[in-house]
Amino acid sequence: MPRYEYRALNPTPAAEKAFLAWIDQLDKEFINRDPQHRSEVVRNALHELYLGHPYAEPKPAAPLAEQVLVHSFDPRNATLEPETYGDADAAKYTERKPLIWFWMMYDRSPVGLNHWFGHRVRAMLARHVLKHCGKNVKIFHGVEVSFGYNLTIEDNCTIHKYVLLDDRGEIIIHEGSSVSDYANVYSHAHDLNDGMIVDNHRTEIGPRARITYHATVLSGVKVGEHGMVGSMGVASKNVEPFTIVGGIPAKPIKIKSIAPEDQRKAFEKR
């Protein structure tokens, strides 16, 4: 099986200059953690991004749909599901909400599918939103987080498109790990009899683990070093290092050839 490296692609020099300057401008504004300041910066940036001109209050005579659109750029006029949760830390979430709204709306904007640009925009946002975001983290479009402040993504991780990272408890994605398209990683669970009773846990991925396409990792599960959850699999129990699991619920099906010899032999005897 051949090994392919990623190709290095860049926009034109003029576009690259504008892209990086815009990211740098927003980054400097977001250093100010005041929710009102962040909300105004987000409102203005989204207005310019979607409509192509500086923000202005909608006129009372404007069509109602136009008024609704302009008001909706302001995160103070948006309600996001995680802020309704009773266990949300109001202070921590309030200062992050404008940036989470911007993240979601940026991804849905006309420029949201531009990978070179988008990876840099989301990495900048992640540094302000997450508990920790390491170096060389690549996040694709459509990724959603719950609180943000309970999520750690270490160096050299890749989070592919339309992933849900439910950090209601805590999620740690360790160095070099990958979460593939449409995967879900949870850190909370509901009581079987009363859905309003919630237990939060720490869920850990890696290091150098892979959660593949459409797979799910349930709350409190640890996927060990070089572990892998196969496509559509539901990991309800810990995944041992170097072990590939699959199915619903996920069970061990293979061990990687790079696993320590004693671990490989023990797996083969099962």
Side-chain angles (χ1 to χ4, degrees):
M1 182 180 296
R3 188 178 193 277
Y4 295 107
E5 299 293 338
Y6 287 115
R7 297 172 58 202
L9 302 174
N10 292 87
T12 64
E16 181 173 339
K17 182 179 179 181
F19 291 165
L20 295 179
W22 190 65
I23 293 171
D24 185 60
Q25 180 185 73
L26 291 173
D27 189 26
K28 290 176 181 176
E29 293 285 0
F30 291 151
I31 291 172
N32 184 338
R33 304 174 77 90
D34 177 66
Q36 299 303 317
H37 174 79
R38 285 181 166 183
S39 291
E40 291 177 3
V41 172
V42 166
R43 176 200 65 190
N44 296 347
L46 289 177
H47 193 281
E48 294 172 2
L49 193 60
Y50 275 80
L51 302 181
H53 55 80
Y55 173 78
E57 285 283 342
K59 298 178 180 178
L64 288 175
E66 179 182 332
Q67 295 184 48
V68 168
L69 174 63
V70 174
H71 284 309
S72 294
F73 292 140
D74 191 331
R76 291 168 292 193
N77 296 325
T79 302
L80 302 181
E81 181 182 354
E83 67 182 313
T84 69
Y85 297 161
D87 56 330
D89 184 315
K92 289 183 178 179
Y93 191 81
T94 298
E95 69 179 26
R96 288 166 171 79
K97 177 188 171 181
L99 276 60
I100 293 173
W101 181 244
F102 181 78
W103 189 327
M104 297 170 68
M105 292 293 286
Y106 167 82
D107 280 358
R108 291 161 174 79
S109 77
V111 300
L113 297 182
N114 182 338
H115 292 322
W116 188 98
F117 190 23
H119 291 156
R120 288 161 174 79
V121 171
R122 297 181 202 101
M124 177 273 291
L125 291 169
R127 290 192 293 272
H128 295 288
V129 171
L130 307 189
K131 183 176 183 179
H132 172 74
C133 182
K135 299 176 182 178
N136 193 34
V137 170
K138 187 180 293 184
I139 304 174
F140 284 77
H141 61 274
V143 172
E144 294 197 15
V145 303
S146 292
F147 296 155
Y149 56 77
N150 286 331
L151 175 59
T152 294
I153 304 178
E154 296 181 350
D155 297 349
N156 303 312
C157 290
T158 300
I159 314 298
H160 289 273
K161 60 182 182 287
Y162 302 116
V163 165
L164 170 63
L165 299 174
D166 160 55
D167 66 313
R168 189 167 175 176
E170 182 178 12
I171 296 175
I172 302 175
I173 303 176
H174 291 288
E175 191 271 331
S177 295
S178 172
V179 184
S180 295
D181 307 353
Y182 300 97
N184 304 292
V185 181
Y186 291 96
S187 65
H188 83 278
H190 294 271
D191 181 82
L192 292 177
N193 299 307
D194 184 347
M196 299 305 292
I197 297 175
V198 175
D199 283 331
N200 291 325
H201 308 95
R202 175 185 289 176
T203 303
E204 295 190 56
I205 309 297
R208 292 170 291 282
R210 287 179 60 193
I211 312 303
T212 64
Y213 310 102
H214 296 270
T216 297
V217 178
L218 296 184
S219 178
V221 169
K222 178 174 175 55
V223 180
E225 181 178 10
H226 278 290
M228 181 185 296
V229 182
S231 298
M232 304 295 291
V234 178
S236 58
K237 296 181 179 180
N238 289 349
V239 178
E240 294 298 316
F242 301 96
T243 302
I244 301 169
V245 302
I248 306 175
K251 298 179 180 179
I253 55 178
K254 193 173 183 180
I255 192 162
K256 290 185 175 181
S257 59
I258 60 173
E261 184 177 359
D262 58 343
Q263 187 178 349
R264 284 190 284 110
K265 289 182 177 179
F267 185 89
E268 292 165 0
K269 291 180 179 178
R270 298 170 68 166

